[in-house]
Amino acid sequence: MAVAQRKTDGSLLKRDYASLMADYGDLNSFDLLDVMINKEFRDNIALVSSFGAESIVLLDMVAQVNPAVPVIFLNTRKLFGETIRYRDQVAEQLGLSNIITVNPDAENIAAEDKNGLLWTRDTDACCDLRKVRPLALAMNEYGAWITGRKRFQTTDRGNIPLIEQDGSKIKINPLAHWNQEELDRIIENKGLPKHPLIAQGYPSIGCMPCTIRVEAGQDRRMGRWSGQNKTECGIHIGENI
Ligand code: SF4
């Protein structure tokens, strides 16, 4: 599937992920971001960030490439207060000037999760209500999006490419091939601000009801949807956007 992208003269050009991979698949993460944000999808791309435990690496790169790029932040209304404050701190510190906070639709919440406890009965439905549908609506504005997914995180993410097709959109995964040690090292070496909950034992941070502490040395993703056969909220499952 081809995606419309803006050329420097403002007209639109159709590109598909295979031709983008052929042209840019060998670039390092920073250069890939640069060409996607400032050339191929100029004014037509957004970073989707949870401002979680490792988000800072990609946020820092994007801020260097173009601090005005839209950064979409899904406020599910179930987040930790620390995450909201961390978002604001990071935006200020990195100079990110276009943070777009997306909320779930109030009418849908009233109809489907009036008492706010849907997550106790059906986490897939809750994620769909509070994440998948609001993000799909927000992404109508863009032809491409940038994610911070890494292959090492889960089995399902084990083969994610740098550039892929997701429904009608192109998805860029500039950190797909990074490992945990590389992420930790760059955060330390650059002195990047850390999410405050990391120091409290939360190495992977999502919504408050669905995030628990993890013992040192355990798989970091064990802290998400603990005890359930669920590893993704749904925004990265094809055709949602
Ligand atoms: S992570 Fe939990 S609280 Fe957040 S949207 Fe999904 S099910 Fe709901």
Side-chain angles (χ1 to χ4, degrees):
M1 183 185 295
V3 171
Q5 58 191 134
R6 213 172 302 282
K7 292 199 289 186
T8 50
D9 63 1
S11 62
L12 291 176
L13 173 73
K14 296 270 186 184
R15 289 293 301 266
D16 61 59
Y17 78 97
S19 70
L20 290 167
M21 271 301 283
D23 286 350
Y24 305 119
D26 291 338
L27 292 182
N28 64 39
S29 306
F30 188 89
D31 291 343
L32 180 65
L33 279 171
D34 189 17
V35 78
M36 291 298 157
I37 290 172
N38 292 326
K39 181 185 169 196
E40 292 289 349
F41 292 98
R42 191 168 57 89
D43 300 329
N44 195 23
I45 191 168
L47 166 64
V48 177
S49 180
S50 65
F51 288 76
E54 296 153 355
S55 303
I56 192 66
V57 174
L58 191 51
L59 288 162
D60 178 58
M61 282 189 192
V62 165
Q64 292 175 64
V65 167
N66 186 341
V69 79
V71 178
I72 295 178
F73 172 74
L74 279 171
N75 184 353
T76 63
R77 304 293 191 191
K78 294 289 182 188
L79 299 176
F80 291 91
E82 286 89 342
T83 299
I84 307 287
R85 291 188 285 279
Y86 179 64
R87 172 201 62 188
D88 296 342
Q89 177 202 347
V90 166
E92 167 97 24
Q93 195 165 327
L94 299 184
L96 291 163
S97 60
N98 194 7
I99 307 287
I100 299 170
T101 296
V102 172
N103 300 302
D105 181 83
E107 285 185 15
N108 290 344
I109 292 282
E112 300 170 41
D113 192 13
K114 195 171 179 180
N115 64 4
L117 292 175
L118 181 57
W119 63 272
T120 64
R121 305 187 299 276
D122 188 339
T123 48
D124 285 342
C126 185
C127 283
D128 186 64
L129 170 66
R130 295 175 181 274
K131 294 185 176 182
V132 177
R133 280 181 273 161
L135 181 61
L137 209 56
M139 281 303 300
N140 279 338
E141 301 285 318
Y142 310 98
W145 56 316
I146 303 160
T147 90
R149 294 181 306 157
K150 276 79 65 178
R151 292 176 191 140
F152 76 83
Q153 289 175 311
T154 65
T155 306
D156 288 339
R157 296 185 181 186
N159 292 314
I160 52 172
L162 286 178
I163 303 169
E164 62 184 321
Q165 190 78 46
D166 186 356
S168 62
K169 313 287 184 192
I170 292 290
K171 192 186 278 184
I172 316 294
N173 308 303
L175 304 185
H177 52 297
W178 284 48
N179 61 39
Q180 189 67 62
E181 290 69 33
E182 291 170 312
L183 293 165
D184 292 343
R185 190 163 54 241
I186 199 165
I187 291 170
E188 289 301 328
N189 289 348
K190 294 197 74 174
L192 296 172
K194 294 179 186 174
H195 194 299
L197 290 178
I198 297 172
Q200 296 181 38
Y202 296 89
S204 180
I205 302 155
C207 291
M208 188 162 47
C210 301
T211 302
I212 62 166
R213 287 188 171 88
V214 171
E215 298 294 326
Q218 284 186 307
D219 180 352
R220 300 182 188 208
R221 294 287 293 189
M222 281 178 61
R224 306 288 291 279
W225 300 292
S226 177
Q228 297 185 46
N229 185 25
K230 177 177 172 72
T231 58
E232 297 282 353
C233 62
I235 65 171
H236 293 300
I237 297 171
E239 302 300 331
N240 283 318
I241 290 176

